[in-house]
Amino acid sequence: MKNLVKLAAGLMVAASFMSSAASAQTVLKSSDTHPDGYPTVEGVKYFGELVKERTKGRYSVEVYHSAQLGEEKDTIEQVRSGVIELNRISMAPFNGTVKETIVPALPYVFRSEEHMHKVMDGAIGDQIKKAFEPAGLVVLAYYDAGARSFYNKTKPISTVADMKGLKFRVIQSDIFVDMVAALGANATPMPYGEVYSAIETGVIDGAENNFPSYDTAKHAEVAKNYSLDEHTILPEVFVMNKVAFDKLTPEDQEIFKQAAKDSVAKQRELWAAKVAESRANVEKLGAQITTPDKQGFIDAMAPVYEKHVTDDVLKKMVEDVKAVQ
């Protein structure tokens, strides 16, 4: 059934693209796993508005939110193969394809969101962008996704010892699996859309994510213990199929790149507001927010770095990130 849904979604996208090609306007399809109104969804919508305005209507963007075209793993393949042209996605699932994405996915590599912005807006961000091109993708922008923290339905987490034996859903990334193992817990990679029912039925005890996701996915209804360990500040990546990008005229390529850059400021503004709103929402639901001994979590991450930062390129990137003030 899932395969039929994906096939139908692909045919729908292809049919829409062909019909638009017959007119003066080319409609580009973009996927997002988050619901309508979420800051990443609105960031891509804003990008689309700017592109439409600046190309005088020759291009527009249609955003398929709420995982309408599939979960992240599926849509990565869709954008790489050209079934869809655009995709907003977490950077972690690219760790096995673009090794440079390992660095921003490392726990505690960023000191703060401001530090992350400086890194991703600078030379290191440009280095990661170039690394995506052999994978058939052009990075248009990095969006905010805030700090990710653990939450569960069993107990408050104040120290690493409290993590022992708990089962957490993680992104489909080896780094996240190893991070959870280093804390004495058990990791279960699964699609984002399956997390609520998995917590509710006891398949897992909890998950890890930012406040807006914890709120909008309604995970706070079933897992009321939120621990502000802030283990990763993982940027989102907004990508375009490279073949589709290369078909644009040089002038249109510049329009797309500038529109994406302009959308970043908008998305960051929306993100900051959403974090405050979502924290208030989950507290009203009865979520108990604790601030753990973060240094204990940082100290536990040494094995993760030893396993995943294995070559000179990645080692230098980590040092370069630390050097950014």
Side-chain angles (χ1 to χ4, degrees), residues 123-138:
I124 297 168
D126 290 341
Q127 180 181 353
I128 296 171
K129 285 181 178 180
K130 289 178 183 177
F132 268 83
E133 294 190 10
L137 297 169
V138 173

Side-chain angles (χ1 to χ4, degrees), residues 242-257:
K242 190 173 186 302
V243 173
F245 183 82
D246 289 345
K247 286 180 179 178
L248 299 173
T249 65
E251 293 78 14
D252 285 342
Q253 288 180 356
E254 288 305 311
I255 287 173
F256 273 58
K257 288 192 287 187

Side-chain angles (χ1 to χ4, degrees), residues 165-209:
L166 294 177
K167 296 175 290 183
F168 290 97
R169 175 267 180 179
V170 295
I171 294 174
Q172 290 164 308
S173 160
D174 289 344
I175 289 176
F176 278 65
V177 171
D178 293 334
M179 173 186 68
V180 171
L183 294 169
N186 302 303
T188 302
M190 71 170 59
Y192 180 67
E194 298 176 12
V195 176
Y196 184 100
S197 61
I199 296 174
E200 187 176 37
T201 59
V203 173
I204 55 177
D205 297 301
E208 50 81 45
N209 221 313

Side-chain angles (χ1 to χ4, degrees), residues 88-108:
R88 193 294 312 159
I89 200 163
S90 174
M91 195 173 288
F94 287 106
N95 291 168
T97 306
V98 182
K99 75 172 183 179
E100 286 81 355
T101 64
I102 288 172
V103 173
L106 289 167
Y108 299 107

